[in-house]
Amino acid sequence: MIRNILPTLLLGLTVIASTALPAAPVHSEDQKAEDQKPEQIHVRGSIVSYSGSALKVKTREGETVDVTLADGWKLASVANAAVTDIKPGDFVGIASLPSADGGDGALEVLIFPPAMKGAGEGSYGWDLKPNSSMTNATVADAVKGVDGRTVTVSYHGKEKTIAIPDGTPVVTIAPATKDDLVAGAVVFIPAEKAASGPLAHQVLVGKNGVVPPM
């Protein structure tokens, strides 16, 4: 069952803005279609209520929003993992910020299941914090350091080194059911911006004390 959920869910966990990548030449028809795509947004917060296709969320900014769940929407959760679980060859998603020493410091790490290896590969702007980025890439090596662990990841022939300080949230994808959509549960929702409010095809919900850190 989880394999049916994950490929769809991943679509919302990749890029929020294509401006982070060099623009490729496109035909006018392709550009017109691209321009007409709904704006992608992320809703982060806790559930106020859930009923049918309606999910009311109090966002981390303090606003209460009504999220409409699209037909066929998918649901998943996260489970705790450890930095020591990260091995060369793993495919990971790491949100990070530039650090004072010129490298990047991780804000959170998502270890993808093997079936999702390569999906959404790249490094993009991300909205977890100002100036943060999301890198979906394969771990080339993982080295234990004085302050946590440093990983070198590769994507599209490029490499990026990211420090993972001790205490950084590390999670993997886990199954969930609609019974997990209870008041107070923390959610991360990739959605389309619509006139009536966010329209979501996927929801990532926290359970068993583990919250989506992305």
Side-chain angles (χ1 to χ4, degrees):
M1 178 177 178
I2 190 169
R3 289 194 176 187
N4 293 333
I5 291 174
L6 296 178
T8 304
L9 181 68
L10 181 65
L11 296 177
L13 300 180
T14 52
V15 60
I16 61 169
S18 60
T19 53
L21 295 175
V26 294
H27 296 293
S28 58
E29 294 84 357
D30 295 333
Q31 184 62 57
K32 183 177 180 180
E34 185 70 23
D35 292 342
Q36 291 175 343
K37 286 184 178 180
E39 180 183 349
Q40 300 297 304
I41 60 173
H42 292 155
V43 178
R44 298 177 175 89
S46 57
I47 295 174
V48 175
S49 63
Y50 161 67
S51 178
S53 61
L55 187 63
K56 187 182 292 290
V57 177
K58 184 174 183 179
T59 70
R60 62 178 183 175
E61 293 81 18
E63 179 186 6
T64 298
V65 298
D66 293 310
V67 178
T68 300
L69 302 172
D71 292 343
W73 66 282
K74 305 298 182 183
L75 177 65
S77 185
V78 289
N80 270 330
V83 69
T84 52
D85 295 329
I86 302 171
K87 303 292 192 298
D90 285 347
F91 192 71
V92 296
I94 305 178
S96 63
L97 277 173
S99 56
D101 62 5
D104 264 39
L107 298 170
E108 59 85 21
V109 181
L110 172 64
I111 304 174
F112 289 106
M116 296 177 68
K117 186 178 178 70
E121 183 175 358
S123 189
Y124 315 97
W126 195 244
D127 62 348
L128 181 58
K129 289 187 176 182
N131 301 317
S132 63
S133 62
M134 174 64 75
T135 303
N136 284 3
T138 300
V139 177
D141 59 47
V143 180
K144 180 68 177 177
V146 176
D147 180 21
R149 183 178 294 263
T150 298
V151 296
T152 299
V153 295
S154 60
Y155 57 94
H156 300 314
K158 301 178 181 179
E159 286 194 343
K160 185 174 184 177
T161 299
I162 304 174
I164 306 175
D166 289 336
T168 300
V170 181
V171 298
T172 189
I173 299 293
T177 70
K178 293 177 182 178
D179 290 338
D180 296 313
L181 298 177
V182 296
V186 177
V187 289
F188 170 77
I189 306 173
E192 298 174 359
K193 188 175 183 179
S196 58
L199 175 65
H201 295 271
Q202 307 104 22
V203 175
L204 198 62
V205 61
K207 58 185 292 188
N208 299 325
V210 186
V211 301
M214 66 287 296

